[in-house]
Amino acid sequence: MNIDLIFGKTTEHLVHLEGTRFFIHQQMLHDYLKLQKAAREAGFDLQIVSAFRDYDRQLSIWNAKARGERPLLDDLERVLDYSKLSPTELLFAILRWSAIPGCSRHHWGSDVDIFDAKTQTVDQVKLIPSECIGSGPAAPLHEWLDQKMAQNEAFGFFRPYSTDQGGVAPERWHLSYYPISRRVVDVFTFSLFKKHIETSDMELKEIILENASEIFERFLMRFDLP
Ligand SMILES: [Zn+2]
């Protein structure tokens, strides 16, 4: 595997998803279309709101959050007061919802954020937990996905952020394609992570390095399996 794939620095593994502005891993296309078709037959319009994201895009999200230019949410979807956070608190608040540049599963092309286009327009989608549970607009789609995943009929897709393990917050909308993402995880070592940070330039870099082993364990390697 090309190591650049891990860090969002290559697009050679991607294919354009017809009729959208998104790119996904070429080896995932077939099964993604199958999942979408099964959803359609069940009465849903499963669509992507975010797919492949490159390093520079993640860098701009990260830096904007670290500079207080984008709102930071706590676990209850309340906006945090940027001015009251220490740099370490800021780092871990961002990590709950956003990945360090080079460390997002969205770099891999195997991971997508989805919604039900029958009940929301793409502009309405906020990607917050309340959309995907209870009476939320994407809740029925996700209940259907729960069933398909439990029956092993989700064509290789699973939710890496299904439960709260103290790392990334639960994100029911985030699906991962196991045949690909498993292979990336297998080669993504702590030393690769550390070297990547050391050789990159981003906001909070020094504090990331001070907390490197905790970040790697909690926010990169702790996730749910199929
Ligand atoms: Zn996501």
Side-chain angles (χ1 to χ4, degrees):
M1 179 186 300
N2 178 353
I3 293 300
D4 286 344
L5 181 153
I6 298 178
F7 302 113
K9 295 195 169 177
T10 177
T11 56
E12 67 179 18
H13 55 303
L14 302 174
V15 65
H16 177 238
L17 189 59
E18 215 181 302
T20 74
R21 59 188 172 86
F22 300 111
F23 290 81
I24 60 176
H25 199 294
Q26 54 200 359
Q27 289 168 25
M28 176 174 112
L29 177 64
H30 191 62
D31 280 334
Y32 172 74
L33 294 175
K34 278 195 200 164
L35 180 72
Q36 197 178 40
K37 180 165 179 276
R40 195 178 306 122
E41 286 164 3
F44 305 105
D45 186 5
L46 189 158
Q47 295 291 341
I48 288 175
V49 64
S50 181
F52 170 77
R53 207 180 290 148
D54 71 9
Y55 176 85
D56 288 337
R57 175 78 191 118
Q58 193 67 26
L59 180 67
S60 76
I61 294 171
W62 179 265
N63 284 346
K65 288 203 170 181
R67 291 169 188 156
E69 295 163 2
R70 265 183 177 231
L72 287 172
L73 299 184
D74 70 7
D75 286 0
L76 299 172
E77 301 176 8
R78 294 175 304 207
V79 178
L80 290 165
D81 185 348
Y82 175 79
S83 65
K84 293 210 172 95
L85 300 174
S86 73
T88 305
E89 286 170 337
L90 174 62
L91 169 68
F92 283 98
I94 301 172
L95 280 170
R96 193 79 171 130
W97 295 103
S98 294
I100 292 170
C103 302
S104 170
R105 295 180 73 106
H106 284 278
H107 295 329
W108 308 346
S110 57
D111 287 52
V112 291
D113 299 328
I114 55 123
F115 72 108
D116 183 0
K118 276 239 169 97
T119 57
Q120 279 182 301
T121 66
V122 68
D123 296 330
Q124 288 171 328
V125 177
K126 294 205 207 69
L127 298 182
I128 51 176
S130 53
E131 287 178 317
C132 305
I133 52 168
S135 57
L141 168 63
H142 282 285
E143 283 157 21
W144 174 80
L145 277 169
D146 287 339
Q147 268 180 21
K148 300 300 279 183
M149 287 174 185
Q151 293 162 353
N152 215 359
E153 290 175 358
F155 307 102
F157 289 90
F158 74 107
R159 291 195 193 88
Y161 308 127
S162 174
T163 63
D164 193 350
Q165 303 193 39
V168 175
E171 297 185 347
R172 271 166 78 69
W173 57 82
H174 183 117
L175 305 186
S176 182
Y177 184 58
Y178 191 62
I180 304 286
S181 60
R182 168 181 50 112
R183 291 189 345 231
V184 182
V185 170
D186 280 350
V187 297
F188 199 172
T189 59
F190 177 68
S191 67
L192 268 183
F193 165 69
K194 192 147 176 276
K195 186 163 161 250
H196 163 69
I197 302 298
E198 283 165 351
T199 55
S200 302
D201 197 19
M202 64 186 69
E203 294 285 344
L204 301 170
K205 173 176 172 169
E206 293 313 314
I207 305 163
I208 294 170
L209 283 172
E210 278 169 30
N211 295 278
S213 58
E214 180 184 351
I215 291 169
F216 184 74
E217 192 276 317
R218 270 179 67 193
F219 295 94
L220 277 72
M221 289 297 135
R222 210 186 283 181
F223 55 84
D224 298 291
L225 288 169

